[in-house]
Amino acid sequence: AKGLNVTLPYKKKAAEINGDISKEAKYINAVNTITNYKNKLSLASTDGIGFIDDINSKKFDLENKKILIIGAGAASESVLYKVAKSKVNAITILNRTKEKSEKLQRKYSSIVPISLDANSDCEFDLIINGSSAGLTGKFNPIDNLKFNSDASFANAIRFTWSGVNPVMGAAVIPISFHV
């Protein structure tokens, strides 16, 4: 099989390609992996499963955890799709564009409680950066966040042009692992 990887800003557009689209990619309306096997295209979103596989390999258990997801784009939603089904206690989504985070809240709140207010009394167990700050280098630190003393930070956006992820650089918690 041959294929390609799709990144922002084209993941939503790639979901419009004629092919066999996975259940997850169809639900989130975004594709980041296209494969061609015997002249048949398969479309998938692999950000979420890649994230889950990585944290599982590090023996991090999501069950009953309080999760903060920073970002509301296709990568964040792919991670949210998997994390929401992992018996977490609650999820908070922070995003520059409130409408995008509200849309995700409506879409996933029947699976798990989802808040858009990180300045509550919630102490997060896991903070996931799915924002484009990992790519652009532009990040405004979030004030008044509360974390457990053993909270972990995971980066769903892997690559940075500068080699330093500004979200991780602004983290005030131990960085246990990077996805």
Side-chain angles (χ1 to χ4, degrees):
K2 293 183 179 184
L4 60 103
N5 195 285
V6 179
T7 188
L8 64 90
Y10 301 107
K11 291 180 180 184
K12 297 282 186 190
K13 193 73 173 162
E16 298 173 10
I17 294 172
N18 189 14
D20 290 333
I21 190 165
S22 72
K23 180 180 175 183
E24 176 181 345
K26 186 174 186 173
Y27 188 79
I28 70 172
N29 190 36
V31 166
N32 75 335
T33 304
I34 302 171
T35 54
N36 182 357
Y37 182 71
K38 295 184 179 181
N39 293 322
K40 190 164 192 165
L41 294 180
S42 294
L43 314 170
S45 176
T46 59
D47 292 316
I49 191 63
F51 177 83
I52 294 295
D53 286 350
D54 194 62
I55 64 171
N56 286 343
S57 75
K58 291 167 177 59
K59 309 287 189 255
F60 188 89
D61 184 9
L62 286 169
E63 191 169 345
N64 296 316
K65 297 291 191 290
K66 295 174 185 165
I67 311 297
L68 170 63
I69 298 176
I70 302 169
S76 292
E77 187 173 358
S78 184
V79 169
L80 174 60
Y81 181 89
K82 294 295 187 183
V83 169
K85 296 178 179 192
S86 297
K87 300 179 183 174
V88 297
N89 182 291
I91 296 173
T92 298
I93 302 170
L94 293 182
N95 191 58
R96 291 182 314 255
T97 311
K98 190 170 183 170
E99 295 79 23
K100 288 178 82 174
S101 53
E102 288 171 341
K103 179 181 174 189
L104 293 180
Q105 182 184 39
R106 286 189 302 272
K107 193 171 181 179
Y108 290 91
S109 61
S110 65
I111 301 169
V112 64
I114 294 183
S115 171
L116 304 179
D117 180 16
N119 294 319
S120 64
D121 290 331
C122 182
E123 290 188 357
F124 298 106
D125 300 298
L126 176 62
I127 298 86
I128 303 167
N129 173 41
S131 74
S132 60
L135 296 172
T136 65
K138 297 176 184 172
F139 178 73
N140 295 325
I142 302 160
D143 295 329
N144 304 319
L145 288 180
K146 296 178 183 175
F147 308 98
N148 289 331
S149 60
D150 60 347
S152 296
F153 185 94
N155 192 25
I157 304 287
R158 235 176 250 260
F159 304 106
T160 62
W161 298 117
S162 65
V164 177
N165 186 304
V167 180
M168 294 180 344
V172 292
I173 56 167
I175 299 171
S176 299
F177 59 88
H178 311 277
V179 177

